[in-house]
Amino acid sequence: MSLNCMTIPTMSISGSTSKISTIGTLNNDFALYLIQGDFPKERYPKSKDAYEVIIVNSGNLDIEIDNQIHSLSKYSLAYLPPNSSFKIKSTDTRFRGYIMMFSNAFIESLQVPLAINKEKAFVRKSLSDDAHYSMNQTFMLIKDEISNQEHVFRKEKLSNLVSILFIDLLNVFVKNSNMFPGLSFSGESKRRTKLSKDFFSLLKEYSREQRQVGFYADKLCITPKYLTFLLKQSTGKSANEWITNAVISDAKHLLKNSGNSIKEVSYTLNFANQSFFGKYFKKMVGISPKDFQNSCAY
């Protein structure tokens, strides 16, 4: 299943004891809703094309997922892939929660160390105080940023914040075999998970200096072939793809800054010369750095 975009419902419902409102959207890739009180169940925002995360901050929510009833209370959350079968059964007047919707393209753009299960819904009741605090802090930043229409790099900031949120989700569910079928996270699996996380840490530190898979493999004391294998298995992308994504993302960011010439960008990213950088960028993006920079000026 390939869902490049999603249909985003815009909600604005207010009553004496209920409220549903759209906090913000990002093209057809991301949407955030506030839901509180005993709202009309038939008006629940749902897109068959979207991945959804429901976070309960207070009160109670009864939800039916794949014909199974789940009672969610404070500090609970649920993850719903596209086309999942679910219904809101009941809420109370104290209920307050948030719903995030993501397109497949947005999910694929996230830099997380393990792949999210795209077919099976899951529920987590009563997060620990530490887990809830960490996720809630990130969530509040997402809430602020989705409302900030003026930021030039709004999409990039949101993508990074949601990546952090999903890493926290992975941390919560990492021992849940339903989320990661076939992975036990013991022995070799734990080692692979650590290697993946260490790779992304190294990539963040060295992507402007090193674009060779061998460099990162040497740092991790494994072969380039094995590094590519474990990343492909856990994330769906090869080591070279992740390196290229990091370099191109950084290049786009620098080119959008009018204070940086193409020559300066190529130097910052450690390319041999401007010509080599131009050929690399055009091969990966489809247009030249100059054309990309000009397109950002409008």
Side-chain angles (χ1 to χ4, degrees):
M1 176 173 56
S2 177
L3 306 170
N4 292 323
C5 61
M6 63 182 186
T7 304
I8 295 179
T10 300
M11 312 296 296
S12 183
I13 303 171
S14 295
S16 58
T17 61
S18 64
K19 178 181 179 182
I20 304 176
S21 61
T22 304
I23 295 176
T25 63
L26 180 66
N27 303 324
N28 285 321
D29 287 319
F30 179 78
L32 177 62
Y33 304 92
L34 165 68
I35 299 184
Q36 61 186 44
D38 187 17
F39 60 88
K41 312 306 176 296
E42 68 277 5
R43 302 303 301 274
Y44 174 81
K46 172 62 180 172
S47 171
K48 67 179 182 179
D49 302 328
Y51 298 86
E52 299 188 33
V53 173
I54 303 172
I55 298 178
V56 179
N57 277 7
S58 62
N60 296 284
L61 166 69
D62 289 337
I63 184 171
E64 180 180 325
I65 304 175
D66 297 329
N67 300 316
Q68 184 176 356
I69 301 294
H70 299 273
S71 296
L72 305 183
S73 56
K74 185 178 180 180
Y75 298 174
S76 297
L77 60 86
Y79 162 80
L80 306 166
N83 298 313
S84 56
S85 172
F86 81 98
K87 298 177 183 177
I88 298 295
K89 304 299 288 185
S90 66
T91 60
D92 59 29
T93 56
R94 296 179 296 109
F95 173 74
R96 181 183 177 91
Y98 295 93
I99 298 170
M100 287 181 287
M101 292 185 179
F102 314 90
S103 70
N104 185 69
F106 192 87
I107 289 287
E108 291 292 341
S109 73
L110 301 181
Q111 295 196 26
V112 295
L114 291 167
I116 295 290
N117 189 318
K118 296 184 177 181
E119 303 297 332
K120 189 174 182 63
F122 57 84
V123 172
R124 175 71 179 188
K125 301 177 183 178
S126 301
L127 295 171
S128 68
D129 289 342
D130 288 344
H132 176 264
Y133 177 80
S134 177
M135 293 181 66
N136 194 58
Q137 290 293 100
T138 304
F139 187 77
M140 289 299 104
L141 290 173
I142 292 172
K143 180 183 174 184
D144 290 341
E145 202 55 46
I146 193 69
S147 304
N148 183 6
Q149 301 286 340
E150 302 300 320
H151 201 290
V152 176
F153 304 112
R154 178 167 170 255
K155 182 176 181 179
E156 288 78 6
K157 286 192 71 175
L158 276 171
S159 180
N160 287 331
L161 288 170
V162 174
S163 290
I164 293 171
L165 183 69
F166 266 80
I167 287 172
D168 281 341
L169 276 172
L170 287 167
N171 182 57
V172 170
F173 288 97
V174 74
K175 294 182 180 179
N176 187 327
S177 60
N178 290 329
M179 184 180 179
F180 302 105
L183 294 181
S184 64
F185 290 93
S186 60
E188 180 63 16
S189 294
K190 284 185 177 180
R191 178 173 178 267
R192 291 180 182 180
T193 302
K194 184 179 186 305
L195 286 171
S196 294
K197 291 180 179 179
D198 289 346
F199 166 76
F200 285 105
S201 295
L202 289 169
L203 185 60
K204 183 177 180 180
E205 182 177 357
Y206 292 106
S207 62
R208 288 190 175 185
E209 303 169 25
Q210 299 290 340
R211 292 185 292 277
Q212 299 300 317
V213 176
F215 169 83
Y216 297 94
D218 287 344
K219 285 283 186 181
L220 296 169
C221 299
I222 58 177
T223 66
K225 184 177 181 180
Y226 183 67
L227 176 58
T228 293
F229 166 77
L230 74 88
L231 287 173
K232 193 74 174 179
Q233 186 179 62
S234 62
T235 70
K237 294 181 181 180
S238 68
N240 191 58
E241 286 176 302
W242 280 114
I243 294 168
T244 300
N245 285 352
V247 174
I248 292 300
S249 178
D250 201 5
K252 287 180 177 179
H253 172 77
L254 292 170
L255 289 168
K256 286 178 182 178
N257 184 339
S258 59
N260 291 304
S261 68
I262 296 174
K263 183 177 181 180
E264 288 170 331
V265 172
S266 64
Y267 177 80
T268 299
L269 296 178
N270 202 35
F271 281 85
N273 52 57
Q274 181 177 332
S275 176
F276 186 76
F277 168 67
K279 292 177 181 178
Y280 178 90
F281 187 90
K282 186 171 184 178
K283 179 181 178 181
M284 300 304 171
V285 180
I287 59 175
S288 69
K290 185 65 176 178
D291 288 341
F292 177 82
Q293 202 169 45
N294 289 338
S295 70
C296 295
Y298 298 100

